[in-house]
Amino acid sequence: MSYIVGLNSGSSFDGVDAVLCKIDIAEDGHPTRPEFISALTVSWPIEMQPMIMKAFENELPLFEMTRVNYAAGAVYAEATNALLAQAGLAPEDVDVVGYDGQTIYQEPPDRHLIAEYSRSGNNSLVDRWLKGGYPCGFFVVESGVVAALTNITTVTQFRPVDHALCGSGAPLMQYLDFVSFRNHGPTVTLNIGGIANLQLANADRNKMMAFDTGPGNVMLDHVVKARTNMEYDRNGELAAKGQVIEPLLAELQSHSFFERKPPRSAWRLDFGSNYADDILKRFESSSTEDLLATLTMFTATSIERALVDFILPNTKVTEVVASGGGTRNTALLKCISQRLANHGLKVCTSDEYGLPAAYKEAIKFATLGFAAKRGLANNIPAASGASSFAVLGKLTMAPRLAKNTD
């Protein structure tokens, strides 16, 4: 078996998770379910936090963004080195580091525009992005820094190849779910990060689905930071004291995001700070507790709606396996569980399957990197809308592996 390292900094931007796992190749040629070994979380440096927040709002100049990109690589390298020191491992003990970087901007495919572009007969590859509605994204990630400062082969940026094949590039949890649950029968998983997403895992990858349901923690965290001195609502304690503001909930549920059909992805352009700030302004007289109760219900009903509309009509399941930082929000998980119980669904966490819920996103990147290094198809076209299978990820070799150095 091989040691692999995965790193994750999600849309919540609440720190970098680093995870160490063991993994192998099974008899069917696919990776085995990763075996969790250990993990840690590091905070983004204080001086970098406002810079990245500016980048989210398209307010960071390109020259500063360039330096932030390299500095972000150093953050990921420090997290990796700390994890290895904690485990007593050397760089040569680790097969690969996999991570995607901090997403700054993500633009989903415009399926209507893509169809029009296809019918137009325009054969320009360039115009796919300038006129054709193809998806794209930007990440601070610099893998060269990570490979150089850890001396471990590194695989990053798993989305661009899927984008170029007209896939949504998000979410990316479906490959880990295929690896982990392909022998378990159809399995629905729920990841609650800044954005929440559902995956339907199946041994037949042509029957799989993966798509964003709407916001997870991103709006909750924004309101807490704007109204209090806290970074997040610990255990959902504030939300649990509030009452749902029904007119606001109805307005949230009519968001244009819900007009999109899977495969679909959401980002801060949909449920980011501008959207949340507008709500804070218009509902200035509402209590923090009531706003958080409403946003908590919004996340829960968005997940319920996605399940009922897109998965349950065609697939018989009785369980939803939840992961992500949102599982630590007791009020949110209780709300989701109550909503899904109405449909005969039990909510459990991925811990029950050996995948710690708090670190599953980092585990997925370690697994994607392990597969990419071996040239294994690690996308799921049926889930993302990509036109073909592919190897996702850009590989940077460890300096210690350089040849002809004499």
Side-chain angles (χ1 to χ4, degrees), residues 235-267:
N235 295 321
E237 293 172 358
L238 293 175
K241 297 175 183 177
Q243 299 293 320
V244 173
I245 306 168
E246 293 295 343
L248 174 57
L249 179 61
E251 176 188 320
L252 292 166
Q253 291 172 330
S254 66
H255 193 290
S256 60
F257 168 78
F258 299 106
E259 297 173 7
R260 306 176 201 164
K261 306 298 182 186
R264 67 184 185 192
S265 58
W267 183 236

Side-chain angles (χ1 to χ4, degrees), residues 220-234:
L220 290 165
D221 291 349
H222 185 85
V223 169
V224 170
K225 291 173 184 177
R227 285 288 189 94
T228 74
N229 292 322
M230 299 185 297
E231 290 295 310
Y232 60 95
D233 183 12
R234 186 178 297 275

Side-chain angles (χ1 to χ4, degrees), residues 167-221:
S168 60
L172 285 173
M173 188 65 77
Q174 57 266 29
Y175 182 71
L176 173 59
D177 286 343
F178 166 72
V179 164
S180 300
F181 298 106
R182 67 186 184 275
N183 299 318
H184 187 261
T187 304
V188 173
T189 71
L190 166 67
N191 185 67
I192 316 168
I195 300 297
N197 47 71
L198 284 169
Q199 287 72 220
L200 173 62
N202 195 300
D204 182 351
R205 285 176 285 180
N206 293 317
K207 297 180 180 178
M208 288 185 63
M209 297 181 71
F211 57 95
D212 289 340
T213 64
N217 307 312
V218 64
M219 293 177 66
L220 290 165
D221 291 349

Side-chain angles (χ1 to χ4, degrees), residues 43-353:
S43 298
W44 282 93
I46 295 296
E47 59 269 34
M48 287 187 68
Q49 292 179 20
M51 301 174 77
I52 292 181
M53 294 303 293
K54 284 184 178 180
F56 287 147
E57 303 302 328
N58 197 24
E59 295 175 356
L60 190 70
L62 177 60
F63 292 175
E64 290 185 54
M65 182 81 81
T66 301
R67 188 160 295 279
V68 165
N69 184 43
Y70 278 64
V75 172
Y76 294 124
E78 286 188 339
T80 300
N81 290 337
L83 182 66
L84 265 60
Q86 175 179 285
L89 296 176
E92 54 268 26
D93 297 323
V94 179
D95 181 79
V96 70
V97 174
Y99 71 102
D100 201 46
Q102 177 61 56
T103 301
I104 299 299
Y105 174 73
Q106 183 155 275
E107 188 175 305
D110 184 329
R111 300 291 179 186
H112 177 71
L113 189 56
I114 289 170
E116 287 187 349
Y117 175 80
S118 179
R119 287 192 296 267
S120 73
N122 187 339
N123 294 319
S124 168
L125 298 181
V126 175
D127 281 349
R128 291 184 178 188
W129 284 273
L130 298 183
K131 301 176 182 178
Y134 270 60
C136 57
F138 185 80
F139 321 87
V140 290
V141 62
E142 190 46 61
S143 58
V145 171
V146 176
L149 299 184
T150 64
N151 216 0
I152 303 171
T153 295
T154 301
V155 182
T156 63
Q157 291 183 270
F158 298 97
R159 305 180 199 272
V161 168
D162 202 66
H163 285 160
L165 295 172
C166 209
S168 60
L172 285 173
M173 188 65 77
Q174 57 266 29
Y175 182 71
L176 173 59
D177 286 343
F178 166 72
V179 164
S180 300
F181 298 106
R182 67 186 184 275
N183 299 318
H184 187 261
T187 304
V188 173
T189 71
L190 166 67
N191 185 67
I192 316 168
I195 300 297
N197 47 71
L198 284 169
Q199 287 72 220
L200 173 62
N202 195 300
D204 182 351
R205 285 176 285 180
N206 293 317
K207 297 180 180 178
M208 288 185 63
M209 297 181 71
F211 57 95
D212 289 340
T213 64
N217 307 312
V218 64
M219 293 177 66
L220 290 165
D221 291 349
H222 185 85
V223 169
V224 170
K225 291 173 184 177
R227 285 288 189 94
T228 74
N229 292 322
M230 299 185 297
E231 290 295 310
Y232 60 95
D233 183 12
R234 186 178 297 275
N235 295 321
E237 293 172 358
L238 293 175
K241 297 175 183 177
Q243 299 293 320
V244 173
I245 306 168
E246 293 295 343
L248 174 57
L249 179 61
E251 176 188 320
L252 292 166
Q253 291 172 330
S254 66
H255 193 290
S256 60
F257 168 78
F258 299 106
E259 297 173 7
R260 306 176 201 164
K261 306 298 182 186
R264 67 184 185 192
S265 58
W267 183 236
R268 287 176 176 266
L269 291 181
D270 295 301
F271 302 108
S273 58
N274 289 337
Y275 187 65
D277 283 337
D278 178 66
I279 292 170
L280 285 168
K281 182 178 180 180
R282 291 188 294 109
F283 289 83
E284 185 177 6
S285 61
S286 298
S287 70
T288 300
E289 290 81 359
D290 287 354
L291 284 171
L292 291 173
T294 305
L295 293 174
T296 297
M297 181 61 73
F298 178 43
T299 291
T301 57
S302 299
I303 292 165
E304 177 189 24
R305 181 176 178 179
L307 272 163
V308 170
D309 288 351
F310 304 121
I311 292 181
L312 295 184
N314 301 309
T315 308
K316 182 174 177 57
V317 292
T318 59
E319 179 182 69
V320 174
V321 183
S323 64
T327 60
R328 289 177 280 191
N329 183 325
T330 305
L332 176 59
L333 199 60
K334 179 181 178 181
C335 189
I336 294 169
S337 298
Q338 290 173 341
R339 302 293 304 190
L340 299 192
N342 295 328
H343 306 280
L345 295 171
K346 172 192 172 184
V347 176
C348 69
T349 65
S350 59
D351 298 73
E352 296 184 24
Y353 292 93

